[in-house]
């Protein structure tokens, strides 16, 4: 693996994380991180949509007229979102979760991370690097969702994936953890830790 390909994969997860560095996709992190299960499904959905949309748009990049490129991008992303939504509905065990996330799955169509990577990378690069860039940005997004959901569910409900963890220890659930503002506070803490470690992200 050459250095450019390695950077394409690792940068969105670490130094160029779409949530903690670029501050994109914050809204969904408030709504779908109350439970790990929902956060995991949302993360996987964005990974698939972002990766496949980048791949398709890269394959079509030389045939898309510049004046209608945004419309084409929206159509491609919408198609991938519909496919993901239908796959979720096809699994009986995930159907209640699909109903819970239905609004937010649909909003992936206008997710600035997905559209941003198509516009900034896929339309100017070959299909394989575009696919890897899309997948990596989805992973970077999903990683933050899962970290936030882990702490919110653990300390807000005393469970992980719905399984009681802290109840045996006599822990009293903290209702503040399941409120949307706590997601912002946790993301702020993650940003602080990341910038404390990665000095080059600090503003002068």
């Amino acid at each position: 693996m050459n250095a450019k390909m390695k950077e394409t994969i690792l940068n969105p997860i670490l130094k160029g994380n779409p949530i903690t560095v670029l501050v994109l996709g914050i809204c969904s992190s408030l709504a779908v991180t109350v439970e790990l299960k929902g956060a995991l499904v949302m993360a996987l959905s964005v990974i698939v949509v972002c990766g496949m949309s980048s791949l398709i748009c890269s394959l079509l990049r030389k045939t898309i007229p510049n004046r209608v490129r945004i419309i084409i991008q929206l159509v491609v992303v919408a198609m991938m979102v519909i496919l993901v939504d239908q796959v979720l509905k096809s699994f009986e065990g995930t159907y209640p979760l699909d109903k819970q996330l239905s609004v937010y799955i649909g909003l992936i169509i206008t997710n600035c991370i997905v559209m941003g990577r198509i516009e900034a990378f896929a339309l100017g690069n070959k299909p394989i690097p575009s696919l890897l860039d899309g997948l990596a940005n989805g992973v970077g997004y999903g990683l933050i969702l899962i970290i936030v959901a882990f702490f919110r569910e653990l300390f807000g409900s005393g469970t992980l994936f719905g399984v009681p963890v802290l109840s045996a220890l006599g822990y009293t659930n903290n209702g503040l953890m399941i409120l949307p503002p706590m997601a912002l506070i946790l993301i702020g803490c993650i940003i602080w830790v990341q910038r404390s470690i990665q000095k080059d992200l600090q503003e002068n």
Side-chain angles (χ1 to χ4, degrees), residues 146-200:
I146 290 170
I147 292 173
V148 172
F150 173 85
F151 288 104
R152 291 185 73 189
E153 182 177 356
L154 181 63
F155 296 108
S157 304
T159 63
L160 289 175
F161 290 106
V163 178
V165 174
L166 297 179
S167 57
L169 303 177
Y171 175 78
T172 301
N173 296 339
N174 185 349
L176 179 63
M177 294 296 293
I178 60 177
L179 297 178
M182 185 51 65
L184 280 178
I185 294 173
L186 288 172
I187 291 173
C189 291
I190 295 171
I191 293 174
W192 174 71
V193 170
Q194 183 178 13
R195 297 198 176 203
S196 297
I197 297 172
Q198 299 177 359
K199 303 296 183 182
D200 56 320

Side-chain angles (χ1 to χ4, degrees), residues 68-200:
V68 295
R69 71 183 192 283
I70 300 298
I71 296 174
I72 300 299
Q73 292 171 27
L74 283 171
V75 170
V76 171
V77 175
M79 177 184 70
M80 294 309 306
V81 169
I82 291 171
L83 288 174
V84 167
D85 187 51
Q86 292 302 308
V87 168
L88 289 177
K89 288 179 179 177
S90 68
F91 290 96
E92 184 178 352
T94 64
Y95 186 65
L97 190 60
D98 173 70
K99 290 195 294 184
Q100 178 184 342
L101 295 177
S102 59
V103 175
Y104 307 108
I105 295 292
L107 287 176
I108 296 175
I109 295 172
T110 56
N111 191 304
C112 44
I113 298 172
V114 180
M115 296 295 295
R117 293 324 299 167
I118 294 174
E119 186 74 13
F121 195 93
L123 293 184
N125 290 273
K126 294 181 179 180
I128 296 303
S130 298
L131 171 64
L132 294 176
D133 178 78
L135 292 174
N137 275 274
V139 169
Y141 166 87
L143 179 63
I144 302 302
L145 252 65
I146 290 170
I147 292 173
V148 172
F150 173 85
F151 288 104
R152 291 185 73 189
E153 182 177 356
L154 181 63
F155 296 108
S157 304
T159 63
L160 289 175
F161 290 106
V163 178
V165 174
L166 297 179
S167 57
L169 303 177
Y171 175 78
T172 301
N173 296 339
N174 185 349
L176 179 63
M177 294 296 293
I178 60 177
L179 297 178
M182 185 51 65
L184 280 178
I185 294 173
L186 288 172
I187 291 173
C189 291
I190 295 171
I191 293 174
W192 174 71
V193 170
Q194 183 178 13
R195 297 198 176 203
S196 297
I197 297 172
Q198 299 177 359
K199 303 296 183 182
D200 56 320

